[in-house]
Amino acid sequence: FGGDITAATKVNITGDGTVNIAANKKIVGALDADGNKGTVQFAATTTDTVLVSGTTGASNAIKVINVSPATGVTATFTGAVVATNLNTGGVGTVALTSTMGGNLNFGADGTITAGGAVTGNVDNTSGADNIGEIQTASGVGVSGTIGATNSIRKLKIAGGTSAFGGAIKTGFRVALTGTGGNATFADDVTTPDFNFRGATTATVAASKKIVGAVTTTTDGQGTLVFSTTAANTTLVSGNVGVAGTGALLAVTAGAATGITGTFAGAVNAD
């Protein structure tokens, strides 16, 4: 398709082929399928474009959606998206303003903004570590793993009460922003810098750990809570805070009878 597609009800994929849509062109309306079918290929986006103005995959998941926004460009999905895999091969931004059901895959060092819950995994399939950034809106989490194949570069969490259900691996940072929120982590978090950038709380599940250092941008900011450890665990492999200039507000941890929870580095909290 070389131009915009305007659908009175929806564009419906009935076969398991490929739909190619030209650069900077869009679907005005909904995109759907009559089964888990179809590859929708949006050519490289060079200007800010709402790729789909309605819902995507409301009746049945689209099998594959490929997008590739250029540097400084935002490609937007306005409604809820359900797709087995949404792949971004660009270094611009893919903006999901609603929920995402399915997997998000980085093939290049771009950004995905998630305005609603992500039910699926976020991965880096580029073949190299430290590629891709996902930013979650306040109260928005990810149910699956993040960076399982190769580490993503950064996870930025914008406050609120949010849940992350799988193991997380980032090559640069996990950043917790906002005030008064609580981000919960059900599995291990591997990152060089688990960084409090607001007066917020992070809660790590029982017997899970942070592999890396914990820091804060402001002295006396950030509350780190470890649920009671049921197995011998190195809770944090690096330092927690910096004495005098970057201590956390509080660190809480406990261990069951006969169990040891270990902080391998220095712990600095007010």
Side-chain angles (χ1 to χ4, degrees), residues 8 14 96 136 168 174 206 216 218 255:
T14 59
L96 305 173
T136 59
I168 296 171
V174 172
T216 180
T218 302

Side-chain angles (χ1 to χ4, degrees), residues 24 27 41 55 59 64 72 80 83 92-93 102-103 106 114 131 138 144 171 175 184 194 203 211 225 240 260:
N24 310 322
I27 295 173
Q41 178 78 42
T55 58
S59 299
V64 178
T93 298
N103 302 316
F106 289 100
I131 296 292
S138 179
T184 61
F194 189 91
T203 301
V211 181
V225 178
V240 176
T260 301

Side-chain angles (χ1 to χ4, degrees), residues 24-26 43-52 67-78 88 90-97 111-113 135:
N24 310 322
K25 302 305 177 182
K26 58 190 179 289
T45 307
T46 59
T47 187
D48 292 347
T49 305
V50 176
L51 297 180
V52 182
V67 297
S68 188
T71 303
V73 171
T74 299
T76 301
F77 291 84
T78 301
T88 176
V91 294
T93 298
V94 177
L96 305 173
T97 64
T111 298
I112 296 173
T113 61
Q135 302 175 1

Side-chain angles (χ1 to χ4, degrees), residues 104 106 118 120-124 131-136 140-157 163-171 173-174 185 187-190:
L104 298 171
F106 289 100
V118 177
N121 304 314
V122 178
D123 207 357
N124 165 13
I131 296 292
E133 175 177 344
I134 182 164
Q135 302 175 1
T136 59
V140 170
V142 176
S143 70
T145 60
I146 298 177
T149 303
N150 296 284
S151 65
I152 69 166
R153 178 169 47 81
K154 183 179 179 181
L155 166 62
K156 184 178 180 181
I157 303 167
F164 294 84
I168 296 171
K169 294 181 181 179
T170 76
R173 175 176 290 158
V174 172
F185 299 89
D187 211 327
D188 297 341
V189 180
T190 301

